[in-house]
């Protein structure tokens, strides 16, 4: 029998990257933020994170095996675990377990597997789960325990987050901004919020690691953060009495978490560098518009999901140049 040489589609040079390698690299980058959440919220952070990860992995396994009838299961590639950690990072530390499980079911079942699984989902699954819970259980999702309560209690002492205080100032509260934590507290994590929002330092360590390992590029995180800083800076110059400094906006809420770990998702973000920059700028603009003029204190989740929907359009009109392609003369 004659042997035939079969040449597959490019690229032909293997770089050593794989789905598993990159996914587990992201999980390693998340470790500092996990440690920070445990330090500030203790048992509550541990329970929320563990339940979210286990539920996401279970639902991916169950849907793949019993509903989609797949022989090769994707539970070990790390993507379900990342979804679980990121979903937990978007939740308060005292959220009831049954609500966390519902969020994991929506994130995996609706946000990911209903589109065919990894590589086919148009929206970030963890953010889809977070927004579903925010719309379905607004009271529980907006009850923020005070930092330092290391147990897991549904009824705990709560306090307003920095974003809630900023929103109160926009609505006319005269003393709201005076209650804001200082920049150092926001940077280190001594403030209320979701598990993944507490420590900017921990998130930046993860960013440096992923850039060093070339898991992501700088384009999306930097374009988001610069846009937020410029927009917030302009508003602060216009009226510093009600609009806080741009540094406070960068250090508060989910800007860092979204820019570093959520918006950079391979599947739901553009492929070209120009597309990434446009994508990041639009996310930054939408985030600030929602924060300052919308009904919700935070806009990062909605901004990323909206731009996820525009990613195919960006990829269509901002395609990377083909290797060896000669530009046409006008």
């Amino acid at each position: 029998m004659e042997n035939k040489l079969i040449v597959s589609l490019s690229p032909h040079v293997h770089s050593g990257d794989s789905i598993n390698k990159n996914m587990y690299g992201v999980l390693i980058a998340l470790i500092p933020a996990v440690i920070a959440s445990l330090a500030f919220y203790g048992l509550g952070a541990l329970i929320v994170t563990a339940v979210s990860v286990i539920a996401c992995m279970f639902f991916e396994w169950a849907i793949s095996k019993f509903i989609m009838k797949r022989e090769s299961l994707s539970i070990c590639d790390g993507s379900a675990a990342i979804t679980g950690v990121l979903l937990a990072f978007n939740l308060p530390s005292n959220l009831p377990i049954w609500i966390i499980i519902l969020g994991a079911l929506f994130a995996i079942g609706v946000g990911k597997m209903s589109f065919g699984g990894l590589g086919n989902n148009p929206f970030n699954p963890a953010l889809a789960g977070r927004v579903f819970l925010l719309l379905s259980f607004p009271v529980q999702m907006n009850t923020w325990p005070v930092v330092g309560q290391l147990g897991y209690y549904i009824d705990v002492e709560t306090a307003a987050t920095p974003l809630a205080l900023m929103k109160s100032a926009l609505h006319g509260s005269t003393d709201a901004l005076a209650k804001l934590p200082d920049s150092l507290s926001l940077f280190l994590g001594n403030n209320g919020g979701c598990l993944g929002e507490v420590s900017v330092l921990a998130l930046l360590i993860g960013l440096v690691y992923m850039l060093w390992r070339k898991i992501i590029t700088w384009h999306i995180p930097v374009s988001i953060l610069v846009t937020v800083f410029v927009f917030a800076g302009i508003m602060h110059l216009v009226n510093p009495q009600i609009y806080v400094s741009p540094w406070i906006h960068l250090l508060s809420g989910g800007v860092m978490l979204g820019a570093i770990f959520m918006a950079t998702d391979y599947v739901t973000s553009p492929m070209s560098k120009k597309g990434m920059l446009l994508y990041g700028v639009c996310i930054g603009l939408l985030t600030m518009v929602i924060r300052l003029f919308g009904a919700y204190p935070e806009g990062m989740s909605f901004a990323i999901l909206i731009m996820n929907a525009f990613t195919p359009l960006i990829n269509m009109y901002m395609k990377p140049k083909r290797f060896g392609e000669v530009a046409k003369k006008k």
Side-chain angles (χ1 to χ4, degrees), residues 16-86:
D17 284 341
S18 65
I19 293 176
N20 292 25
K21 180 180 177 181
N22 287 336
M23 292 297 173
Y24 286 110
V26 174
L27 285 174
I28 293 173
L30 285 166
I31 290 176
V34 172
I35 294 173
S37 68
L38 294 175
F40 287 111
Y41 289 114
L43 184 60
L46 178 62
I47 291 175
V48 171
T49 304
V51 170
S52 180
V53 171
I54 293 171
C56 284
M57 295 183 71
F58 170 77
F59 287 130
E60 177 149 334
W61 170 80
I63 293 171
S64 296
K65 185 172 182 65
F66 299 109
I67 297 179
M68 303 180 76
K69 306 294 184 181
R70 289 181 174 176
E71 295 183 3
S72 177
L73 302 179
S74 58
I75 188 175
C76 294
D77 63 12
S79 62
I82 290 176
T83 299
V85 175
L86 292 179

Side-chain angles (χ1 to χ4, degrees), residues 95-175:
L95 196 67
I97 290 176
W98 65 273
I99 295 182
I100 303 171
I101 295 173
L102 280 180
L105 176 59
F106 189 91
I108 296 296
V110 178
K112 181 179 180 182
M113 303 307 291
S114 64
F115 294 99
L118 182 64
N120 300 303
N121 50 291
F123 302 101
N124 185 290
L127 284 181
R130 196 251 181 179
V131 171
F132 165 73
L133 292 182
L134 184 63
L135 298 177
S136 302
F137 309 98
V139 175
Q140 293 90 334
M141 286 289 291
N142 287 284
T143 302
W144 310 106
V146 174
V147 171
Q149 299 178 92
L150 302 182
Y152 176 70
Y153 310 103
I154 303 301
D155 297 320
V156 295
E157 182 184 355
T158 60
T161 64
L163 291 180
L165 293 172
M166 287 186 237
K167 184 64 72 173
S168 297
L170 293 174
H171 290 164
S173 177
T174 57
D175 61 343

Side-chain angles (χ1 to χ4, degrees), residues 97-259:
I97 290 176
W98 65 273
I99 295 182
I100 303 171
I101 295 173
L102 280 180
L105 176 59
F106 189 91
I108 296 296
V110 178
K112 181 179 180 182
M113 303 307 291
S114 64
F115 294 99
L118 182 64
N120 300 303
N121 50 291
F123 302 101
N124 185 290
L127 284 181
R130 196 251 181 179
V131 171
F132 165 73
L133 292 182
L134 184 63
L135 298 177
S136 302
F137 309 98
V139 175
Q140 293 90 334
M141 286 289 291
N142 287 284
T143 302
W144 310 106
V146 174
V147 171
Q149 299 178 92
L150 302 182
Y152 176 70
Y153 310 103
I154 303 301
D155 297 320
V156 295
E157 182 184 355
T158 60
T161 64
L163 291 180
L165 293 172
M166 287 186 237
K167 184 64 72 173
S168 297
L170 293 174
H171 290 164
S173 177
T174 57
D175 61 343
L177 296 185
K179 299 177 182 178
L180 281 173
D182 59 84
S183 297
L184 182 60
S185 295
L186 292 172
F187 182 73
L188 297 178
N190 189 21
N191 62 95
C194 297
L195 295 183
E197 296 175 358
V198 292
S199 177
V200 171
L201 174 61
L203 296 172
L204 289 177
I205 293 173
L207 172 62
V208 171
Y209 176 81
M210 290 195 293
L211 290 174
W212 173 58
R213 295 297 304 271
K214 297 182 179 180
I215 297 173
I216 63 172
T217 63
W218 61 267
H219 302 81
I220 292 176
V222 170
S223 58
I224 292 175
L225 299 178
V226 169
T227 303
V228 168
F229 185 88
V230 172
F231 194 114
I234 293 172
M235 298 306 294
H236 180 66
L237 291 175
V238 171
N239 190 347
Q241 300 301 319
I242 61 173
Y243 298 112
V244 300
S245 74
W247 293 110
I248 299 297
H249 272 288
L250 284 181
L251 299 176
S252 302
V255 168
M256 288 291 178
L257 176 63

